[in-house]
Amino acid sequence: MHHHINTHLFIIPKNHQENLRHYTLKPKKKGMKPPPTSSSSSTSNLIRKARLSPYLFTLLAFTLFVTILYGQDLGCILGQFDLDVAPDRLPPTPKKHYKKLPFSIAEKESSCDIFRGKWVWDPLNRPLYQESECPYIQPQLTCQEHGRPDRDYQFWRWQPDGCSLPSFNASLMLETLRNKRMMFVGDSLNRGQYVSMVCLVHSLIPDEAKSMETFGSLTVFTAKDYNATIEFYWAPFLMESNSDDAVIHRVSDRVVRRGSINKHGKHWKGVDIMVFNTYLWWMTGLKFKILQGSFDDEVKDIAEVSTEDAYRMGLKSMIRWVRKNMDRKKTRVFFTSMSPSHQKSIDWGAEPNGNCYNQTEMIADPNYWGSDCRKSIMEVIGDVFKKSTFPITFLNITQLSLYRKDAHTSIYKKQWSPLTPEQIANPVSYADCVHWCLPGLQDTWNELLFAKLFYP
Protein backbone atom coordinates (compact mmCIF):
# COMPACT_ATOMS: atom_id res chain seq x y z
CA MET A 1 0.00 0.00 0.00
CA HIS A 2 1.33 3.48 -0.86
CA HIS A 3 0.89 6.20 1.77
CA HIS A 4 0.98 9.83 0.72
CA ILE A 5 2.56 12.39 3.08
CA ASN A 6 1.43 15.98 2.84
CA THR A 7 4.72 17.80 2.32
CA HIS A 8 3.21 21.16 3.32
CA LEU A 9 3.41 19.92 6.95
CA PHE A 10 7.20 20.11 6.65
CA ILE A 11 7.60 23.82 5.85
CA ILE A 12 10.47 25.15 7.99
CA PRO A 13 10.41 28.72 9.34
CA LYS A 14 13.37 30.78 8.08
CA ASN A 15 14.48 31.68 11.60
CA HIS A 16 15.03 27.98 12.37
CA GLN A 17 16.79 26.91 9.17
CA GLU A 18 20.15 27.73 10.80
CA ASN A 19 19.48 25.24 13.62
CA LEU A 20 18.58 22.56 11.06
CA ARG A 21 22.12 22.66 9.64
CA HIS A 22 23.30 20.87 12.79
CA TYR A 23 21.48 17.77 11.49
CA THR A 24 22.89 17.75 7.96
CA LEU A 25 24.28 14.28 7.24
CA LYS A 26 27.98 14.21 6.31
CA PRO A 27 30.53 11.39 5.83
CA LYS A 28 32.53 10.59 8.95
CA LYS A 29 36.09 11.98 8.83
CA LYS A 30 39.08 9.74 9.57
CA GLY A 31 40.26 9.94 13.14
CA MET A 32 37.04 11.50 14.35
CA LYS A 33 35.95 10.22 17.74
CA PRO A 34 32.71 8.30 17.77
CA PRO A 35 29.77 10.08 19.37
CA PRO A 36 29.03 9.22 22.99
CA THR A 37 26.83 6.16 23.37
CA SER A 38 25.52 6.97 26.80
CA SER A 39 21.75 7.23 26.70
CA SER A 40 21.74 9.86 29.43
CA SER A 41 24.26 12.00 27.54
CA SER A 42 22.36 11.84 24.27
CA THR A 43 19.09 12.53 26.04
CA SER A 44 20.42 15.63 27.79
CA ASN A 45 21.86 16.91 24.46
CA LEU A 46 18.52 16.41 22.79
CA ILE A 47 16.75 18.29 25.58
CA ARG A 48 19.19 21.20 25.27
CA LYS A 49 18.57 21.32 21.51
CA ALA A 50 14.88 21.23 22.08
CA ARG A 51 15.09 24.22 24.44
CA LEU A 52 16.93 26.14 21.75
CA SER A 53 14.43 25.16 19.09
CA PRO A 54 11.01 23.78 20.02
CA TYR A 55 10.07 23.87 16.35
CA LEU A 56 13.01 21.65 15.52
CA PHE A 57 12.19 19.16 18.27
CA THR A 58 8.60 18.93 17.01
CA LEU A 59 9.83 18.48 13.45
CA LEU A 60 12.24 15.68 14.34
CA ALA A 61 9.72 13.90 16.55
CA PHE A 62 7.14 14.01 13.76
CA THR A 63 9.71 12.79 11.23
CA LEU A 64 10.63 9.86 13.48
CA PHE A 65 6.96 9.00 13.94
CA VAL A 66 6.29 9.05 10.18
CA THR A 67 9.42 6.97 9.51
CA ILE A 68 8.32 4.25 11.89
CA LEU A 69 4.71 4.35 10.77
CA TYR A 70 5.30 4.27 7.03
CA GLY A 71 8.57 2.41 6.80
CA GLN A 72 10.12 5.23 4.80
CA ASP A 73 13.87 5.56 4.59
CA LEU A 74 15.10 8.52 6.62
CA GLY A 75 17.33 9.63 3.80
CA CYS A 76 14.34 9.82 1.47
CA ILE A 77 12.39 12.02 3.90
CA LEU A 78 15.32 14.33 4.53
CA GLY A 79 15.80 14.50 0.79
CA GLN A 80 12.48 16.34 0.58
CA PHE A 81 14.14 19.27 2.31
CA ASP A 82 17.05 19.48 -0.17
CA LEU A 83 19.49 18.82 2.63
CA ASP A 84 23.13 18.10 1.93
CA VAL A 85 22.85 14.30 2.24
CA ALA A 86 25.97 12.27 1.55
CA PRO A 87 25.56 10.11 -1.61
CA ASP A 88 26.65 6.97 0.20
CA ARG A 89 23.81 7.41 2.67
CA LEU A 90 21.08 7.52 0.01
CA PRO A 91 19.18 4.33 -0.82
CA PRO A 92 20.37 2.64 -4.05
CA THR A 93 18.34 3.30 -7.21
CA PRO A 94 16.36 0.13 -7.98
CA LYS A 95 17.40 -1.62 -11.19
CA LYS A 96 14.80 -2.00 -13.90
CA HIS A 97 13.98 -5.66 -14.38
CA TYR A 98 13.14 -7.15 -17.77
CA LYS A 99 9.42 -7.84 -17.70
CA LYS A 100 8.84 -11.11 -19.52
CA LEU A 101 5.96 -11.52 -21.90
CA PRO A 102 3.99 -14.78 -21.60
CA PHE A 103 5.88 -17.77 -23.09
CA SER A 104 9.17 -15.84 -23.28
CA ILE A 105 12.28 -17.78 -22.22
CA ALA A 106 14.68 -14.89 -22.85
CA GLU A 107 16.49 -13.26 -19.92
CA LYS A 108 16.41 -9.85 -21.58
CA GLU A 109 14.64 -8.07 -24.38
CA SER A 110 16.18 -8.57 -27.81
CA SER A 111 17.68 -5.45 -29.38
CA CYS A 112 17.95 -7.03 -32.84
CA ASP A 113 15.50 -6.19 -35.62
CA ILE A 114 14.95 -9.68 -37.01
CA PHE A 115 12.86 -8.32 -39.90
CA ARG A 116 15.80 -6.43 -41.41
CA GLY A 117 18.35 -8.59 -43.17
CA LYS A 118 18.99 -10.63 -46.32
CA TRP A 119 18.27 -14.03 -47.86
CA VAL A 120 21.18 -16.49 -47.87
CA TRP A 121 21.49 -19.72 -49.86
CA ASP A 122 21.41 -22.67 -47.43
CA PRO A 123 20.66 -26.00 -49.17
CA LEU A 124 22.08 -27.95 -46.20
CA ASN A 125 19.41 -26.70 -43.76
CA ARG A 126 16.49 -25.96 -46.07
CA PRO A 127 13.73 -26.86 -46.56
CA LEU A 128 12.60 -27.54 -42.99
CA TYR A 129 10.35 -30.40 -44.21
CA GLN A 130 9.46 -32.05 -47.51
CA GLU A 131 6.26 -31.30 -49.38
CA SER A 132 5.52 -35.03 -49.75
CA GLU A 133 5.94 -35.59 -45.99
CA CYS A 134 3.23 -33.14 -44.91
CA PRO A 135 -0.25 -34.37 -45.86
CA TYR A 136 -1.93 -31.21 -44.55
CA ILE A 137 -0.84 -28.85 -47.35
CA GLN A 138 -3.80 -27.82 -49.51
CA PRO A 139 -3.43 -28.72 -53.22
CA GLN A 140 -3.42 -24.98 -53.97
CA LEU A 141 0.05 -24.80 -52.37
CA THR A 142 1.75 -28.05 -53.41
CA CYS A 143 3.89 -26.69 -56.24
CA GLN A 144 6.11 -29.76 -56.74
CA GLU A 145 3.11 -32.08 -56.99
CA HIS A 146 1.68 -29.80 -59.67
CA GLY A 147 4.73 -29.77 -61.86
CA ARG A 148 7.01 -26.96 -60.78
CA PRO A 149 10.35 -27.90 -62.38
CA ASP A 150 12.73 -26.12 -59.96
CA ARG A 151 13.20 -26.25 -56.18
CA ASP A 152 15.55 -23.32 -55.63
CA TYR A 153 12.80 -21.32 -53.87
CA GLN A 154 12.94 -23.86 -51.01
CA PHE A 155 16.63 -23.38 -50.16
CA TRP A 156 16.77 -19.78 -48.97
CA ARG A 157 17.17 -18.86 -45.29
CA TRP A 158 16.45 -15.44 -43.80
CA GLN A 159 19.49 -13.92 -42.08
CA PRO A 160 18.80 -10.82 -39.94
CA ASP A 161 21.45 -8.10 -39.79
CA GLY A 162 23.51 -8.31 -36.62
CA CYS A 163 22.03 -11.52 -35.17
CA SER A 164 20.70 -14.94 -36.11
CA LEU A 165 17.23 -16.40 -35.85
CA PRO A 166 16.91 -19.18 -33.30
CA SER A 167 16.35 -22.55 -34.95
CA PHE A 168 12.71 -23.61 -35.02
CA ASN A 169 12.30 -26.15 -32.23
CA ALA A 170 9.19 -28.28 -32.85
CA SER A 171 9.50 -30.05 -29.50
CA LEU A 172 9.59 -26.74 -27.60
CA MET A 173 6.63 -25.49 -29.61
CA LEU A 174 4.53 -28.56 -28.82
CA GLU A 175 5.47 -28.56 -25.13
CA THR A 176 4.53 -24.89 -24.93
CA LEU A 177 1.16 -25.70 -26.51
CA ARG A 178 0.42 -28.52 -24.06
CA ASN A 179 -3.15 -28.01 -22.77
CA LYS A 180 -3.38 -24.86 -24.88
CA ARG A 181 -4.85 -23.46 -28.10
CA MET A 182 -3.08 -21.59 -30.86
CA MET A 183 -5.23 -19.95 -33.52
CA PHE A 184 -4.60 -18.19 -36.82
CA VAL A 185 -7.45 -15.85 -37.81
CA GLY A 186 -7.73 -14.17 -41.20
CA ASP A 187 -7.63 -14.98 -44.90
CA SER A 188 -6.03 -17.66 -47.10
CA LEU A 189 -2.56 -16.19 -46.56
CA ASN A 190 -2.94 -16.73 -42.83
CA ARG A 191 -4.22 -20.23 -43.62
CA GLY A 192 -0.97 -20.83 -45.49
CA GLN A 193 1.01 -19.77 -42.42
CA TYR A 194 -1.23 -22.00 -40.29
CA VAL A 195 -0.56 -25.04 -42.51
CA SER A 196 3.17 -24.25 -42.43
CA MET A 197 3.08 -24.31 -38.61
CA VAL A 198 1.32 -27.69 -38.64
CA CYS A 199 3.90 -29.06 -41.09
CA LEU A 200 6.73 -27.81 -38.86
CA VAL A 201 5.52 -29.76 -35.79
CA HIS A 202 3.47 -32.73 -37.01
CA SER A 203 6.38 -35.14 -37.67
CA LEU A 204 7.00 -35.43 -33.91
CA ILE A 205 3.48 -36.77 -33.38
CA PRO A 206 2.50 -40.38 -34.18
CA ASP A 207 -0.19 -40.73 -36.84
CA GLU A 208 -2.74 -42.12 -34.39
CA ALA A 209 -2.20 -39.18 -32.02
CA LYS A 210 -3.02 -36.35 -34.44
CA SER A 211 -5.95 -35.25 -36.56
CA MET A 212 -7.21 -32.36 -38.65
CA GLU A 213 -10.91 -31.55 -38.90
CA THR A 214 -12.90 -28.70 -40.43
CA PHE A 215 -16.11 -27.27 -38.98
CA GLY A 216 -17.36 -24.52 -41.29
CA SER A 217 -15.01 -21.56 -40.85
CA LEU A 218 -12.87 -23.40 -38.29
CA THR A 219 -10.13 -25.94 -39.05
CA VAL A 220 -8.54 -27.70 -36.07
CA PHE A 221 -5.29 -29.69 -35.93
CA THR A 222 -5.16 -31.69 -32.69
CA ALA A 223 -2.08 -33.14 -31.02
CA LYS A 224 -3.90 -35.57 -28.75
CA ASP A 225 -1.06 -36.54 -26.39
CA TYR A 226 -0.42 -32.85 -25.72
CA ASN A 227 -4.10 -31.90 -25.45
CA ALA A 228 -3.10 -29.10 -27.80
CA THR A 229 -4.72 -27.59 -30.87
CA ILE A 230 -3.45 -25.41 -33.71
CA GLU A 231 -6.45 -23.83 -35.40
CA PHE A 232 -7.41 -21.65 -38.34
CA TYR A 233 -10.53 -19.50 -38.49
CA TRP A 234 -11.63 -17.99 -41.81
CA ALA A 235 -12.46 -14.29 -41.36
CA PRO A 236 -10.77 -12.26 -44.14
CA PHE A 237 -11.91 -8.93 -42.65
CA LEU A 238 -11.98 -10.18 -39.00
CA MET A 239 -15.42 -8.54 -38.87
CA GLU A 240 -18.67 -9.86 -40.38
CA SER A 241 -18.76 -9.48 -44.16
CA ASN A 242 -20.42 -10.86 -47.25
CA SER A 243 -17.26 -12.95 -47.85
CA ASP A 244 -17.46 -15.07 -44.70
CA ASP A 245 -18.26 -18.40 -46.33
CA ALA A 246 -15.06 -20.43 -45.96
CA VAL A 247 -15.56 -22.10 -49.36
CA ILE A 248 -17.68 -19.77 -51.51
CA HIS A 249 -16.38 -16.27 -50.87
CA ARG A 250 -15.47 -14.84 -54.25
CA VAL A 251 -17.54 -11.67 -54.02
CA SER A 252 -16.60 -8.70 -56.18
CA ASP A 253 -18.72 -6.14 -54.30
CA ARG A 254 -17.35 -6.60 -50.79
CA VAL A 255 -19.16 -5.17 -47.76
CA VAL A 256 -18.16 -5.22 -44.06
CA ARG A 257 -20.60 -4.64 -41.20
CA ARG A 258 -19.54 -2.04 -38.66
CA GLY A 259 -19.16 -3.16 -35.05
CA SER A 260 -19.58 -6.85 -35.86
CA ILE A 261 -16.35 -8.49 -34.71
CA ASN A 262 -18.13 -10.55 -32.03
CA LYS A 263 -19.89 -12.47 -34.82
CA HIS A 264 -16.57 -14.27 -35.31
CA GLY A 265 -14.89 -13.35 -32.02
CA LYS A 266 -17.15 -15.64 -29.99
CA HIS A 267 -15.28 -18.56 -31.61
CA TRP A 268 -11.88 -17.22 -30.57
CA LYS A 269 -12.44 -17.05 -26.82
CA GLY A 270 -10.12 -19.18 -24.74
CA VAL A 271 -7.24 -19.08 -27.22
CA ASP A 272 -3.75 -18.76 -25.69
CA ILE A 273 -1.70 -17.67 -28.73
CA MET A 274 -3.52 -15.67 -31.40
CA VAL A 275 -2.15 -14.77 -34.85
CA PHE A 276 -4.24 -12.26 -36.83
CA ASN A 277 -3.90 -11.05 -40.39
CA THR A 278 -6.10 -8.93 -42.64
CA TYR A 279 -5.14 -6.85 -45.65
CA LEU A 280 -5.64 -8.18 -49.16
CA TRP A 281 -9.44 -8.35 -49.05
CA TRP A 282 -9.69 -4.67 -48.17
CA MET A 283 -7.80 -3.69 -51.34
CA THR A 284 -10.70 -3.28 -53.75
CA GLY A 285 -9.96 0.31 -54.73
CA LEU A 286 -9.83 3.74 -53.13
CA LYS A 287 -13.23 3.36 -51.46
CA PHE A 288 -14.77 0.61 -49.35
CA LYS A 289 -18.37 -0.17 -48.41
CA ILE A 290 -19.39 -0.29 -44.74
CA LEU A 291 -22.79 -1.63 -43.67
CA GLN A 292 -24.33 0.39 -40.84
CA GLY A 293 -27.14 -2.00 -39.93
CA SER A 294 -27.60 -5.72 -40.52
CA PHE A 295 -27.19 -7.96 -43.55
CA ASP A 296 -30.79 -9.05 -42.83
CA ASP A 297 -32.18 -5.55 -43.33
CA GLU A 298 -34.44 -5.31 -46.35
CA VAL A 299 -33.06 -1.86 -47.17
CA LYS A 300 -29.37 -1.77 -46.35
CA ASP A 301 -27.69 1.39 -45.05
CA ILE A 302 -24.28 1.31 -46.74
CA ALA A 303 -21.69 4.08 -46.55
CA GLU A 304 -18.56 4.41 -48.65
CA VAL A 305 -15.38 5.46 -46.88
CA SER A 306 -11.72 5.54 -47.85
CA THR A 307 -9.98 2.16 -47.74
CA GLU A 308 -7.63 3.51 -45.05
CA ASP A 309 -10.56 4.57 -42.82
CA ALA A 310 -12.28 1.21 -43.33
CA TYR A 311 -9.08 -0.66 -42.49
CA ARG A 312 -8.55 1.51 -39.40
CA MET A 313 -12.06 0.63 -38.25
CA GLY A 314 -11.24 -3.08 -38.62
CA LEU A 315 -7.98 -2.85 -36.67
CA LYS A 316 -9.58 -0.84 -33.86
CA SER A 317 -12.33 -3.45 -33.56
CA MET A 318 -9.69 -6.19 -33.35
CA ILE A 319 -7.79 -4.37 -30.60
CA ARG A 320 -10.98 -3.74 -28.61
CA TRP A 321 -11.81 -7.44 -28.84
CA VAL A 322 -8.29 -8.38 -27.71
CA ARG A 323 -8.40 -5.98 -24.77
CA LYS A 324 -11.71 -7.40 -23.57
CA ASN A 325 -11.05 -11.10 -24.17
CA MET A 326 -7.31 -11.81 -23.87
CA ASP A 327 -5.29 -11.93 -20.63
CA ARG A 328 -2.05 -10.01 -21.06
CA LYS A 329 -0.43 -12.02 -18.25
CA LYS A 330 -1.15 -15.42 -19.82
CA THR A 331 -1.72 -14.98 -23.57
CA ARG A 332 0.04 -13.55 -26.61
CA VAL A 333 -1.33 -11.79 -29.67
CA PHE A 334 0.50 -11.47 -33.01
CA PHE A 335 -0.42 -9.53 -36.12
CA THR A 336 1.14 -10.45 -39.48
CA SER A 337 1.69 -7.52 -41.82
CA MET A 338 0.62 -7.39 -45.46
CA SER A 339 1.75 -10.20 -47.71
CA PRO A 340 2.93 -8.79 -51.06
CA SER A 341 1.91 -10.02 -54.48
CA HIS A 342 4.01 -9.77 -57.63
CA GLN A 343 1.46 -9.03 -60.33
CA LYS A 344 3.39 -6.39 -62.30
CA SER A 345 6.82 -7.24 -63.63
CA ILE A 346 7.38 -3.59 -64.46
CA ASP A 347 7.62 -2.97 -60.69
CA TRP A 348 11.01 -4.72 -60.55
CA GLY A 349 12.28 -3.32 -63.83
CA ALA A 350 11.39 -6.21 -66.14
CA GLU A 351 9.42 -6.09 -69.39
CA PRO A 352 5.78 -5.02 -68.91
CA ASN A 353 2.83 -7.43 -69.06
CA GLY A 354 4.63 -10.04 -66.98
CA ASN A 355 4.18 -11.20 -63.40
CA CYS A 356 5.55 -13.92 -61.10
CA TYR A 357 5.16 -16.59 -63.78
CA ASN A 358 8.46 -18.26 -64.62
CA GLN A 359 10.32 -16.22 -61.99
CA THR A 360 13.03 -18.34 -60.34
CA GLU A 361 15.22 -15.62 -58.84
CA MET A 362 14.43 -13.12 -56.13
CA ILE A 363 14.59 -9.33 -56.36
CA ALA A 364 18.09 -8.09 -55.50
CA ASP A 365 17.29 -4.42 -54.79
CA PRO A 366 17.26 -4.09 -50.97
CA ASN A 367 14.97 -1.04 -51.23
CA TYR A 368 12.41 -2.65 -53.52
CA TRP A 369 8.78 -1.84 -52.72
CA GLY A 370 5.99 -3.13 -54.95
CA SER A 371 3.04 -1.07 -56.12
CA ASP A 372 0.58 -3.51 -54.51
CA CYS A 373 1.74 -2.75 -50.94
CA ARG A 374 0.11 0.47 -49.78
CA LYS A 375 2.39 2.37 -47.43
CA SER A 376 -0.67 4.29 -46.25
CA ILE A 377 -1.97 1.02 -44.81
CA MET A 378 1.33 0.41 -43.01
CA GLU A 379 0.96 3.89 -41.52
CA VAL A 380 -2.55 3.03 -40.31
CA ILE A 381 -1.20 -0.13 -38.65
CA GLY A 382 1.57 1.84 -36.92
CA ASP A 383 -0.81 4.55 -35.76
CA VAL A 384 -3.41 2.14 -34.35
CA PHE A 385 -0.96 -0.25 -32.70
CA LYS A 386 1.07 2.42 -30.91
CA LYS A 387 -2.12 3.46 -29.09
CA SER A 388 -2.94 -0.09 -27.98
CA THR A 389 -2.70 -0.76 -24.25
CA PHE A 390 -2.48 -4.51 -24.92
CA PRO A 391 0.93 -5.70 -26.17
CA ILE A 392 0.53 -6.94 -29.76
CA THR A 393 3.60 -8.42 -31.45
CA PHE A 394 3.89 -7.16 -35.02
CA LEU A 395 5.31 -9.70 -37.49
CA ASN A 396 6.65 -7.37 -40.15
CA ILE A 397 7.04 -9.87 -42.99
CA THR A 398 6.31 -7.42 -45.83
CA GLN A 399 9.78 -6.24 -46.86
CA LEU A 400 11.49 -9.64 -46.63
CA SER A 401 8.63 -11.17 -48.66
CA LEU A 402 8.76 -8.42 -51.29
CA TYR A 403 12.08 -9.82 -52.52
CA ARG A 404 10.55 -13.27 -53.14
CA LYS A 405 8.90 -13.06 -56.56
CA ASP A 406 10.26 -16.59 -57.05
CA ALA A 407 8.27 -18.17 -54.19
CA HIS A 408 4.65 -17.88 -55.42
CA THR A 409 2.57 -20.84 -56.51
CA SER A 410 2.24 -19.31 -59.99
CA ILE A 411 0.62 -21.94 -62.29
CA TYR A 412 1.79 -24.91 -60.20
CA LYS A 413 -1.34 -25.56 -58.14
CA LYS A 414 -4.79 -27.07 -58.30
CA GLN A 415 -6.98 -24.82 -60.44
CA TRP A 416 -10.43 -23.81 -59.20
CA SER A 417 -11.95 -24.34 -62.64
CA PRO A 418 -10.80 -25.92 -65.93
CA LEU A 419 -8.42 -23.75 -67.93
CA THR A 420 -9.52 -22.34 -71.26
CA PRO A 421 -7.36 -22.76 -74.40
CA GLU A 422 -6.59 -19.04 -74.21
CA GLN A 423 -5.31 -19.37 -70.65
CA ILE A 424 -3.21 -22.40 -71.48
CA ALA A 425 -1.65 -20.43 -74.34
CA ASN A 426 -0.85 -17.52 -71.96
CA PRO A 427 0.21 -18.79 -68.48
CA VAL A 428 0.74 -15.24 -67.20
CA SER A 429 -3.05 -14.78 -67.39
CA TYR A 430 -3.78 -17.35 -64.70
CA ALA A 431 -0.59 -17.42 -62.62
CA ASP A 432 -1.28 -17.06 -58.88
CA CYS A 433 1.08 -14.36 -57.65
CA VAL A 434 -0.61 -14.00 -54.26
CA HIS A 435 -0.14 -17.35 -52.52
CA TRP A 436 3.13 -19.11 -51.67
CA CYS A 437 4.46 -22.63 -52.27
CA LEU A 438 4.97 -24.88 -49.24
CA PRO A 439 7.54 -25.60 -48.05
CA GLY A 440 8.82 -22.13 -48.70
CA LEU A 441 8.56 -18.51 -47.65
CA GLN A 442 5.82 -18.95 -45.05
CA ASP A 443 8.01 -21.31 -43.03
CA THR A 444 10.23 -18.26 -42.49
CA TRP A 445 7.22 -16.31 -41.24
CA ASN A 446 6.79 -19.00 -38.58
CA GLU A 447 10.48 -18.93 -37.71
CA LEU A 448 10.01 -15.23 -37.04
CA LEU A 449 6.87 -15.95 -35.00
CA PHE A 450 8.81 -18.59 -33.04
CA ALA A 451 11.60 -16.09 -32.34
CA LYS A 452 9.17 -13.41 -31.16
CA LEU A 453 7.20 -15.88 -29.03
CA PHE A 454 10.18 -17.19 -27.07
CA TYR A 455 12.80 -14.43 -27.50
CA PRO A 456 10.84 -11.16 -27.84
Side-chain angles (χ1 to χ4, degrees), residues 153-435:
Y153 66 92
Q154 297 183 354
F155 298 131
W156 294 97
R157 173 175 58 82
W158 180 249
Q159 175 61 56
D161 294 336
C163 63
S164 293
L165 282 178
S167 298
F168 187 93
N169 186 327
S171 179
L172 173 60
M173 194 75 211
L174 283 171
E175 278 299 335
T176 300
L177 289 176
R178 188 179 289 278
N179 301 317
K180 291 182 172 58
R181 296 172 65 194
M182 181 180 197
M183 181 181 282
F184 293 76
V185 174
D187 58 24
S188 57
L189 289 158
N190 222 22
R191 180 166 53 203
Q193 188 176 354
Y194 157 72
V195 171
S196 163
M197 179 63 76
V198 172
C199 291
L200 287 166
V201 302
H202 90 98
S203 62
L204 295 185
I205 309 167
D207 287 345
E208 66 276 8
K210 60 191 174 187
S211 65
M212 184 178 278
E213 300 173 279
T214 297
F215 312 92
S217 295
L218 183 66
T219 300
V220 182
F221 173 81
T222 303
K224 297 174 185 176
D225 293 341
Y226 293 88
N227 189 32
T229 60
I230 305 174
E231 308 171 35
F232 170 74
Y233 187 93
W234 171 265
F237 297 99
L238 306 184
M239 307 171 71
E240 184 184 3
S241 74
N242 61 348
S243 305
D244 285 346
D245 189 296
V247 179
I248 306 168
H249 45 245
R250 291 197 168 189
V251 180
S252 57
D253 193 24
R254 297 169 186 170
V255 180
V256 169
R257 183 166 76 90
R258 183 186 296 277
S260 61
I261 197 163
N262 287 328
K263 168 79 182 299
H264 299 309
K266 62 188 177 186
H267 300 287
W268 312 337
K269 292 185 177 182
V271 169
D272 301 279
I273 301 172
M274 181 74 83
V275 186
F276 288 107
N277 97 310
T278 184
Y279 170 69
L280 193 63
W281 284 69
W282 297 90
M283 300 300 113
T284 58
L286 298 178
K287 296 287 186 180
F288 197 89
K289 293 181 178 179
I290 302 297
L291 175 66
Q292 308 285 359
S294 167
F295 280 106
D296 296 329
D297 293 343
E298 190 171 336
V299 178
K300 294 177 175 58
D301 181 6
I302 294 177
E304 281 200 345
V305 300
S306 72
T307 299
E308 286 76 12
D309 285 345
Y311 191 76
R312 185 186 302 273
M313 177 198 71
L315 287 190
K316 284 184 173 181
S317 293
M318 180 197 78
I319 287 176
R320 277 194 299 271
W321 185 92
V322 165
R323 194 173 64 242
K324 291 179 181 178
N325 295 281
M326 303 291 282
D327 184 344
R328 62 188 301 152
K329 295 181 180 179
K330 297 179 181 179
T331 64
R332 288 286 294 280
V333 177
F334 295 84
F335 184 86
T336 304
S337 68
M338 63 183 81
S339 173
S341 59
H342 293 87
Q343 310 277 17
K344 300 176 183 177
S345 55
I346 197 170
D347 282 355
W348 56 87
E351 292 296 317
N353 303 318
N355 57 18
C356 70
Y357 170 68
N358 214 24
Q359 297 294 321
T360 58
E361 295 181 359
M362 67 178 67
I363 294 169
D365 178 7
N367 299 313
Y368 173 75
W369 190 271
S371 60
D372 64 302
C373 290
R374 290 198 200 176
K375 289 193 174 181
S376 59
I377 292 294
M378 290 292 266
E379 290 169 2
V380 170
I381 295 171
D383 182 51
V384 172
F385 279 20
K386 72 182 180 183
K387 297 174 183 176
S388 171
T389 56
F390 191 102
I392 297 176
T393 303
F394 185 50
L395 297 178
N396 191 3
I397 55 86
T398 304
Q399 184 67 72
L400 63 92
S401 303
L402 274 161
Y403 306 132
R404 299 302 307 274
K405 63 181 171 63
D406 61 312
H408 289 287
T409 54
S410 185
I411 65 171
Y412 306 108
K413 55 177 285 185
K414 180 182 178 180
Q415 302 300 326
W416 289 97
S417 54
L419 298 173
T420 65
E422 291 77 17
Q423 286 176 315
I424 294 172
N426 180 21
V428 169
S429 66
Y430 69 95
D432 181 347
C433 298
V434 172
H435 300 97

